[in-house]
Amino acid sequence: MTKKRRYLLMLAFMASTAVMQAAGNLRTVENLNFGWRFHNGDGTFETVATDDSAWRTVDVPHDFQIEQPWVPPTADEKADNNDPAANIKSRLSSRGFKEMGIGWYRRHLNIPDSLKGKRLLLQFDGIMYTADVYLNGSRIGGTDYGYVGFEIDVTGLLKTGADNVLAVRADTRQPNNSRWYTGGGLFRDVRLVATDRDLYFERYPLYITTRDNRYVNVTVEVVTRGRDKKMPVELKVVAPDGSTVYQGRSTVSRSTPTRSVEQQLPEIEIPNPKLWDTETPNLYTIEATLFNEKGQAVDFATDHFGLRTIEITPTEGLKLNGKKTLLKGYANHHTLGALGAAAYPRAIEKRILMMKQWGINHIRTSHNPYSRQFIELCDKHGILVVDELYDKWTRQHTGGRVPFEALWQKDVPEWIKRDRNSPSVVMWSLGNELQQDPNQPYNDWGVTMYRLQKTLLQRYDTTRLVTVAMHPRYRNWQTDSLPCDLAMITDVQSYNYRYMYFPGDGRRFPWMKFYQSEASVAAMGQNYFEMDLDRVIGLAYWGAIDYLGESQGWPAKGWSQGVFDIALEPKPKAWYMKSFFCPDEPTVHIGIVDKKGDQMWNGVQTGNDGMSDHWQRVPGKKLSLYTYTNAEEVELLLNGKSLGRKANPTADAKHRNQIRWDDIEYQPGYLEAVAYNGGRAVARHRIETTDDAVALKAEPDLAMNKKTKNNKLANSTSGGTTWLADGTDLQHVRIVAVDKKGRRVQTAATKVNFAVEGDARIVGVINGDINSHELTVGNTRSLYNGSCTVILRAGRTPGKVTLTATAPDMKAATITMQTY
């Protein structure tokens, strides 16, 4: 067996084995993701006697709502629509036209006698949207805001050497309890943790801060329920290359009656420090071992960190390690297309890598914490994160089960302690668009609530600024020359869409620091170039990837104004974004206008022109199109004949990098755009008239990742160039219809059938048509723009997996892949 093979097996074992052991069996962590029984619907199912033998077996992460049928508007809702030709809204428009409901999960736990006398914890990384947890028929806990994780101490409740029944009731709540598709169920990981009962590390016990990109300070949180008053803690620091750069022991002392002790350990100097940034995201690891007074090791904790500095000023925006760094990003909801809310690390990583190729260096987690794996992957790949906790601070918008005032005291510490060591997190955001709802606590438009939450937040982290995304930026929703009251007290002035007020507000209030927390894709380019890029923090394009929910009307199942469709296929405007996010990479791309976009959202023009980039048209039809480019000029050629050259209007912020061409008469053949700098061709884009589709072609993730710059994904536990047989890792396989020359046929719309052999199963099928009535589960999906994607979830037995895709009148595509 090769060394690489042994390493891969070790990683797969650690990810999927029933019990992971750390530092000599000090703490055990059992993965509870597999083998749950699921029932869609409510009932009295928490009892031990409940017969769940006929229930379906599912594995976590799981979103039960994504499996449900679409619910079209009712006859009454259609009748209420004033314009019969318009898209039709319904009570479920925001929630993705999926019915609300309740799902039950049950799992049997057999606790070995070896855990007798241990402290036992159940950990849930999130349950959507609210939930109750039962053990052996009794309620032991739950969540009122499922985006935030929690743990339940079940010491003395779990019976060792016997069968235990764990049951979870998950509730999506009512349609108005969220403004987007949330999903439902056990959408993140579940674990059972065992520690010493008398002396142990607290949840998220390490607080790691750095100084001058060389020095590291670690505060540890220890709980002692015995007589120990002097508790040694050994720290080990591992460098990005795997070498140990520090190892030492300090003593934590308890001198007060409190059982919980927080103590900062002596500062550590890192030799030859390797900094973390967006291009070289170097990560260090700290391993902490806790000892009792007898010198026996009793617990273990680990976390990673990066050596980096963040400074945000009114005159220079954000500086990373002393260098001006503009946030060039996007803001989306947490869902993952065909997978719904199920938080698969590989699907998250796929999006991060894709967006980084298009110039993205920043993501805002609107409007709730994403999974911990998301943050860790941003750490790994150098993405700068604005980490957001809530939407509006009301009961309605935070689960609907309890008043908002009952949530934040618990949610803020859990959220901050979970993410505070991650170098990718550069700013905290407590909420979003409070100005649209007057029912904020204390009747002062969020001012008092912001101060209360910030005070608690800074109990756990003082290294980052705190903000709230605001829309509109006016005082109390009135058109006003002054910013709203909340903007006058936040650390950063985060305006959704209203970047045009940055200059005036900056002159009046020179201490303000500006971030365009949402930017309209419809105004893309203009809302970038019109900012003073030397002074602002940056921007996040709202809904850059199409997503379920927040539909502007049936039949659209969600947001459709992104530059990538819901299947992650780039639309022509994606190249426009790339042209200014990657200014040093010559770019040109043709986008043909099919329809004019006129949708409004939140008082902002969000509708994009419907565009395509194929050359299959009606002969003689006159077309309008854009060439997106960052070059000086573009020449357009039709079947080799020049239609002229046009200069890039770089002095015009509204039209920079986009050149419009009208009255282009379609002729079969090809249309080519050639971009020039200094008279020299630097980029080309050619679209051709294709023949009919004759075959399907399969393109797995593996092929895509080989093309990724700075690809370090081999042996990654979250997927990448190695597909792990860990029960959770995914393989996205893109199916493309091609003609006899192997060219993609974008007009192909045939239904494709999938079959899988080997230890893997289909968990998602998707194409880019947000209006499609097909479900994202099953083994069929129609082509849209000539492609669709099938997503496979690996089993836990390494081996070959064969996928076959078939469609009428086309040669089938068969691909064999390997899991490790």
Side-chain angles (χ1 to χ4, degrees):
M1 183 183 291
T2 66
K3 182 178 180 181
K4 177 181 178 182
R5 170 69 173 162
R6 286 195 299 270
Y7 180 65
L8 292 174
L9 288 174
M10 179 190 72
L11 287 174
F13 174 79
M14 290 181 65
S16 61
T17 188
V19 179
M20 293 190 296
Q21 298 181 339
N25 201 30
L26 304 182
R27 167 180 291 244
T28 62
V29 181
E30 183 178 354
N31 183 338
L32 298 184
N33 283 355
F34 304 107
W36 289 84
R37 295 282 189 165
F38 174 73
H39 173 78
N40 186 13
D42 204 4
T44 307
F45 299 135
E46 69 272 21
T47 64
V48 173
T50 296
D51 182 4
D52 57 19
S53 60
W55 291 17
R56 185 159 58 97
T57 300
V58 300
D59 296 329
V60 174
H62 179 248
D63 174 6
F64 71 78
Q65 200 175 24
I66 197 68
E67 304 167 350
Q68 297 174 5
W70 307 112
V71 180
T74 65
D76 289 342
E77 287 169 335
K78 292 179 180 178
D80 289 341
N81 194 62
N82 294 325
D83 181 0
N87 291 349
I88 302 170
K89 296 288 187 74
S90 86
R91 64 187 180 88
L92 298 175
S93 298
S94 293
R95 302 292 290 269
F97 292 102
K98 297 283 188 176
E99 192 56 81
M100 303 300 100
I102 291 167
W104 276 89
Y105 298 81
R106 287 170 56 90
R107 194 183 193 281
H108 291 257
L109 300 176
N110 290 286
I111 307 303
D113 289 333
S114 60
L115 296 184
K116 192 172 184 177
K118 293 285 188 178
R119 172 176 171 259
L120 301 177
L121 304 167
L122 285 171
Q123 294 183 342
F124 294 86
D125 286 353
I127 308 175
M128 193 47 50
Y129 190 5
T130 65
D132 299 287
V133 180
Y134 300 86
L135 181 63
N136 297 326
S138 298
R139 187 182 187 280
I140 58 172
T143 178
D144 296 314
Y145 184 64
Y147 293 108
V148 175
F150 63 100
E151 70 179 13
I152 306 170
D153 191 330
V154 291
T155 307
L157 301 177
L158 270 176
K159 299 173 291 186
T160 57
D163 182 54
N164 297 268
V165 177
L166 179 63
V168 177
R169 179 183 185 270
D171 187 350
T172 63
R173 304 298 294 164
Q174 298 306 308
N176 68 342
N177 289 137
S178 179
R179 298 188 298 121
W180 55 87
Y181 175 83
T182 61
L186 293 176
F187 76 127
R188 295 181 186 164
D189 293 343
V190 186
R191 292 174 294 275
L192 173 66
V193 177
T195 73
D196 185 86
R197 182 174 288 195
D198 295 327
L199 181 60
Y200 51 87
F201 282 125
E202 186 56 279
R203 183 167 169 86
Y204 309 123
L206 306 179
Y207 180 29
I208 307 167
T209 59
T210 62
R211 180 174 66 86
D212 299 337
N213 279 345
R214 175 178 292 273
Y215 301 97
V216 179
N217 287 283
V218 180
T219 297
V220 297
E221 187 173 2
V222 175
V223 175
T224 172
R225 298 192 180 279
R227 297 182 178 182
D228 296 88
K229 294 186 177 181
K230 301 289 185 180
M231 300 153 287
V233 174
E234 182 175 277
L235 293 184
K236 179 180 177 181
V237 181
V238 180
D241 63 3
S243 62
T244 298
V245 294
Y246 172 83
Q247 189 161 1
R249 187 176 294 195
S250 306
T251 299
V252 174
S253 300
R254 179 167 70 91
S255 58
T256 63
T258 180
R259 294 295 184 180
S260 180
V261 180
E262 290 180 73
Q263 183 174 314
Q264 182 173 316
L265 304 182
E267 189 171 67
I268 301 168
E269 182 176 2
I270 303 297
N272 303 312
K274 304 296 182 183
L275 302 190
W276 185 96
D277 60 30
T278 57
E279 298 304 316
T280 54
N282 292 302
L283 291 173
Y284 287 79
T285 301
I286 283 187
E287 300 174 357
T289 305
L290 176 64
F291 297 82
N292 61 22
E293 287 185 330
K294 297 178 181 180
Q296 299 168 322
V298 295
D299 205 357
F300 177 83
T302 185
D303 206 350
H304 62 252
F305 70 96
L307 291 168
R308 63 101 175 101
T309 60
I310 292 291
E311 182 183 5
I312 299 176
T313 70
T315 56
E316 296 179 272
L318 185 146
K319 292 197 291 185
L320 175 61
N321 299 326
K323 179 183 178 182
K324 165 70 179 182
T325 301
L326 188 70
L327 296 187
K328 298 182 289 186
Y330 74 103
N332 260 61
H333 295 302
H334 66 289
T335 51
L336 301 169
L339 304 169
Y344 288 92
R346 179 67 191 108
I348 296 167
E349 187 170 46
K350 179 180 177 68
R351 282 159 172 74
I352 289 173
L353 289 174
M354 179 191 77
M355 296 304 269
K356 193 160 187 179
Q357 289 179 320
W358 292 83
I360 293 288
N361 67 7
H362 158 55
I363 299 173
R364 172 185 166 216
T365 69
S366 43
H367 306 294
N368 46 261
Y370 288 8
S371 68
R372 177 59 192 162
Q373 291 97 325
F374 166 83
I375 297 292
E376 290 174 341
L377 287 165
C378 289
D379 293 340
K380 175 182 176 182
H381 294 298
I383 297 294
L384 304 172
V385 176
V386 172
D387 202 348
E388 192 158 277
L389 179 57
Y390 295 121
D391 188 21
K392 298 169 177 59
W393 299 334
T394 68
R395 179 176 189 151
Q396 175 185 340
H397 297 99
T398 52
R401 192 155 81 162
V402 298
F404 174 77
E405 291 85 344
L407 291 176
W408 64 272
Q409 298 97 325
K410 294 181 294 183
D411 291 347
V412 168
E414 170 72 15
W415 167 57
I416 296 297
K417 293 177 74 174
R418 190 197 75 166
D419 292 346
R420 63 187 176 182
N421 295 333
S422 286
S424 64
V425 178
V426 298
M427 197 189 314
W428 304 114
S429 175
L430 288 167
N432 175 69
E433 296 185 350
L434 310 179
Q435 294 74 24
Q436 293 187 10
D437 193 324
N439 299 311
Q440 301 302 309
Y442 308 112
N443 197 33
D444 60 358
W445 297 93
V447 170
T448 298
M449 181 51 70
Y450 170 80
R451 286 176 169 148
L452 288 170
Q453 291 181 86
K454 181 182 175 182
T455 299
L456 180 58
L457 184 159
Q458 292 186 326
R459 161 67 176 84
Y460 300 102
D461 181 57
T462 59
T463 66
R464 299 168 178 88
L465 299 185
V466 184
T467 191
V468 172
M470 296 169 235
H471 181 68
R473 136 277 180 222
Y474 316 117
R475 289 189 299 177
N476 309 343
W477 190 236
Q478 301 300 314
T479 302
D480 197 309
S481 63
L482 292 175
C484 63
D485 297 341
L486 192 59
M488 302 302 291
I489 64 168
T490 53
D491 295 338
V492 170
Q493 285 59 51
S494 301
Y495 295 174
N496 290 355
Y497 310 109
R498 304 302 186 187
Y499 69 94
M500 62 286 297
Y501 290 96
F502 290 170
D505 288 356
R507 286 190 296 270
R508 287 180 173 182
F509 311 104
W511 46 268
M512 284 187 166
K513 311 168 191 73
F514 295 110
Y515 164 55
Q516 193 179 169
S517 38
E518 289 179 22
S520 169
V521 171
M524 179 174 276
Q526 180 181 5
N527 51 22
Y528 178 84
F529 292 118
E530 286 186 345
M531 294 193 300
D532 186 341
L533 301 179
D534 293 329
R535 298 175 66 93
V536 300
I537 295 168
L539 86 177
Y541 278 113
W542 179 256
I545 302 174
D546 290 352
Y547 56 85
L548 292 176
E550 292 194 295
S551 168
Q552 293 175 300
W554 182 269
K557 308 307 185 298
W559 181 262
S560 60
Q561 307 305 318
V563 295
F564 296 88
D565 67 30
I566 197 169
L568 304 184
E569 296 284 345
K571 303 177 187 179
K573 205 164 186 176
W575 277 269
Y576 180 41
M577 181 183 75
K578 187 175 184 178
S579 75
F580 55 86
F581 275 3
C582 303
D584 297 328
E585 182 179 338
T587 298
V588 67
H589 196 87
I590 299 167
I592 300 171
V593 179
D594 297 320
K595 62 179 180 179
K596 180 67 177 175
D598 57 1
Q599 294 91 342
M600 298 293 292
W601 186 262
N602 275 348
V604 177
Q605 170 71 33
T606 58
N608 283 306
D609 291 344
M611 304 183 82
S612 57
D613 52 7
H614 63 80
W615 200 237
Q616 309 284 117
R617 310 284 167 172
V618 177
K621 184 176 181 179
K622 299 291 183 69
L623 304 171
S624 294
L625 60 90
Y626 286 93
T627 49
Y628 296 127
T629 187
N630 50 19
E632 295 170 357
E633 57 181 355
V634 171
E635 182 178 20
L636 196 63
L637 300 101
L638 178 59
N639 296 329
K641 179 182 178 182
S642 178
L643 301 181
R645 286 196 187 192
K646 292 188 179 183
N648 186 346
T650 54
D652 181 354
K654 187 173 183 179
H655 300 102
R656 182 175 175 176
N657 286 18
Q658 47 184 336
I659 301 171
R660 185 178 177 97
W661 308 75
D662 291 311
D663 297 323
I664 304 300
E665 184 175 334
Y666 172 73
Q667 297 175 16
Y670 70 89
L671 185 70
E672 185 173 25
V674 184
Y676 295 89
N677 281 335
R680 182 176 64 89
V682 293
R684 296 174 181 268
H685 179 225
R686 178 167 166 158
I687 55 178
E688 300 179 355
T689 305
T690 62
D691 298 319
D692 292 338
V694 297
L696 298 176
K697 182 172 69 171
E699 300 174 347
D701 265 348
L702 180 61
M704 181 196 77
N705 288 337
K706 285 183 177 178
K707 300 176 184 177
T708 301
K709 294 181 180 179
N710 302 320
N711 182 20
K712 299 179 182 179
L713 290 178
N715 309 334
S716 165
T717 57
S718 60
T721 58
T722 301
W723 189 17
L724 294 179
D726 62 2
T728 302
D729 201 9
L730 302 180
Q731 183 73 275
H732 295 70
V733 183
R734 181 175 181 249
I735 304 298
V736 182
V738 297
D739 67 3
K740 60 187 178 183
K741 295 182 180 179
R743 299 173 298 186
R744 177 184 175 190
V745 182
Q746 290 202 39
T747 53
T750 307
K751 181 170 287 190
V752 179
N753 294 281
F754 302 104
V756 179
E757 297 180 9
D759 192 19
R761 66 184 187 274
I762 297 171
V763 291
V765 286
I766 192 75
N767 65 33
D769 184 8
I770 201 74
N771 295 327
S772 173
H773 296 317
E774 296 176 317
L775 293 177
T776 64
V777 295
N779 63 354
T780 65
R781 190 74 198 210
S782 295
L783 299 168
Y784 178 74
N785 291 336
S787 70
C788 64
T789 295
V790 56
I791 307 171
L792 306 180
R793 179 172 179 165
R796 290 187 281 176
T797 302
K800 292 183 178 180
V801 175
T802 299
L803 171 71
T804 301
T806 58
D809 302 320
M810 294 190 202
K811 182 180 178 181
T814 299
I815 183 169
T816 298
M817 300 158 283
Q818 179 76 34
T819 64
Y820 295 90

